[in-house]
Amino acid sequence: FINRLLGRPEPETRVLSLTDVYGADMGVHGDTSSPDAILSNLSTVAACVRIRSELTAGVGLHVFRRGPDGARSRADDLSLYDVLHNVANPNQTAFEFREIMVRDLDTRGNCYATIERDAAGQVIALYRLDPSTVTVEKLANGRLRYKAGGQVFLADEILHVRGPSKDGVLGLSPLAISSGVYGLAMVQSKTAVKVAENAVRASGVLSFDQKLGSLNREMVKAAIKTFSASNQNSGGVLVLDGGPKFDPIELSSADMEFLASRKLANEDCARCFGIPPTVVGIVDRATYSNVEHEGRALV
């Protein structure tokens, strides 16, 4: 990280296309082609990304200088220290810059920033680039070239931090590495939404001692619909003739299995980010002891 900012050479690497990294569809179970779609549909993933970015941004970055005897000392006099520790650029504090960079790393697998230097070659500002707009090319001399927003940057003009990589050039995000996990969770989430929207299951069965004719049956249905549609009747009592009996329909074993599978999918999502389940609100098996220890392990 520091070596790249100071302009030191990088090892020769190969280029992995963005299409290979993200693709048109990262999972066979659901539409996981867009990180934003995953974040908006899976609250566990959104919580993991938020927690990781906030906690990582809260850890200060320091620059050290190594003396002739090998001892390290803080190099607070360098402008790079102020950029990493206080203000990254005129529009962002160092905390805000680190937070959005970690978020890009977790959702896109790569985070980029342009490096602004003064006349002496010292870093005086870092400006974040949207990873979705950046492409990477390998030149004939082995150096990397970046294109973003119609501009071309050489490797020493760009800060590029990558996640786990297949070739050392472009990184993979947890969303890409475990796309099947998130695809299955997306399918379950969309299924739950459709069930709620379509109301495919009745809330109960209303039965009478005597057989109702078609006219009386429609009158009962209309009375119940009118009663339930009025907000003023909330919590009231509906009175019907004929000795009706109401039996609520409880969740079936299949419904319970579906709910259990959704809980397991949420745990898998948190596991892929390395976040303890209790930290993201999964408290089914939480105790005072394990909540405390998981919180300490996260920090």
Side-chain angles (χ1 to χ4, degrees):
F1 183 89
I2 303 300
N3 290 340
R4 194 176 298 111
L5 291 177
L6 294 177
R8 296 174 183 172
E10 301 179 3
E12 181 175 337
T13 51
R14 297 182 298 105
V15 173
L16 181 68
S17 69
L18 292 177
T19 303
D20 293 335
V21 177
Y22 305 116
D25 185 3
M26 295 191 297
V28 297
H29 299 292
D31 180 16
T32 57
S33 58
S34 170
D36 293 334
I38 299 178
L39 294 177
S40 63
N41 285 278
L42 301 179
S43 60
T44 302
V45 177
C48 290
V49 172
R50 175 184 58 81
I51 292 171
R52 282 170 56 96
S53 61
E54 290 178 353
L55 289 181
T56 306
V59 179
L61 293 178
H62 301 281
V63 182
F64 292 87
R65 180 185 290 111
R66 190 175 297 278
D69 58 351
R72 295 194 313 167
S73 60
R74 289 269 290 270
D76 297 354
D77 56 316
L78 295 178
S79 59
L80 178 60
Y81 171 82
D82 187 61
V83 172
L84 296 178
H85 194 268
N86 299 321
V87 180
N89 57 66
N91 302 320
Q92 287 181 310
T93 64
F95 177 89
E96 293 172 335
F97 175 79
R98 294 195 299 266
E99 182 180 16
I100 194 171
M101 292 287 279
V102 174
R103 176 176 288 271
D104 288 342
L105 194 63
D106 279 348
T107 57
R108 303 285 183 174
N110 300 269
C111 57
Y112 306 91
T114 58
I115 304 173
E116 182 180 349
R117 303 177 186 270
D118 59 14
Q122 296 296 316
V123 178
I124 58 175
L126 294 172
Y127 295 89
R128 178 250 183 186
L129 293 174
D130 185 353
S132 63
T133 65
V134 179
T135 57
V136 185
E137 297 178 352
K138 185 176 182 180
L139 303 178
N141 59 5
R143 300 278 288 175
L144 299 181
R145 180 171 65 184
Y146 299 82
K147 293 183 178 180
Q151 294 181 286
V152 179
F153 304 92
L154 298 179
D156 57 356
E157 299 174 312
I158 290 289
L159 170 63
H160 177 195
V161 182
R162 59 183 65 85
S165 177
K166 293 181 178 179
D167 68 345
V169 177
L170 290 180
L172 296 172
S173 69
L175 304 184
I177 295 174
S178 305
S179 59
V181 173
Y182 303 108
L184 177 60
M186 287 278 286
V187 170
Q188 293 174 340
S189 176
K190 292 180 179 179
T191 300
V193 171
K194 291 180 180 179
V195 170
E197 288 179 347
N198 298 329
V200 296
R201 186 190 54 170
S203 58
V205 176
L206 186 66
S207 58
F208 289 81
D209 294 337
Q210 299 178 354
K211 182 177 180 180
L212 296 178
S214 58
L215 179 60
N216 291 334
R217 185 180 296 108
E218 292 300 324
M219 291 176 61
V220 171
K221 291 172 59 177
I224 295 177
K225 184 176 180 180
T226 302
F227 180 85
S228 59
S230 176
N231 294 331
Q232 297 179 354
N233 294 327
S234 179
V237 178
L238 175 63
V239 179
L240 295 175
D241 295 330
K245 179 182 178 182
F246 180 77
D247 296 316
I249 298 179
E250 299 180 352
L251 291 176
S252 64
S253 58
D255 295 329
M256 297 298 294
E257 184 68 23
F258 176 71
L259 294 177
S261 65
R262 291 205 66 193
K263 292 180 180 179
L264 179 59
N266 288 332
E267 293 179 1
D268 285 341
C269 292
R271 189 177 296 113
C272 293
F273 278 94
I275 300 295
T278 57
V279 177
V280 292
I282 303 175
V283 294
D284 295 348
R285 294 184 292 272
T287 64
Y288 178 82
S289 177
N290 64 15
V291 168
E292 180 182 9
H293 284 81
E294 288 182 356
R296 290 181 177 180
L298 178 63
V299 175

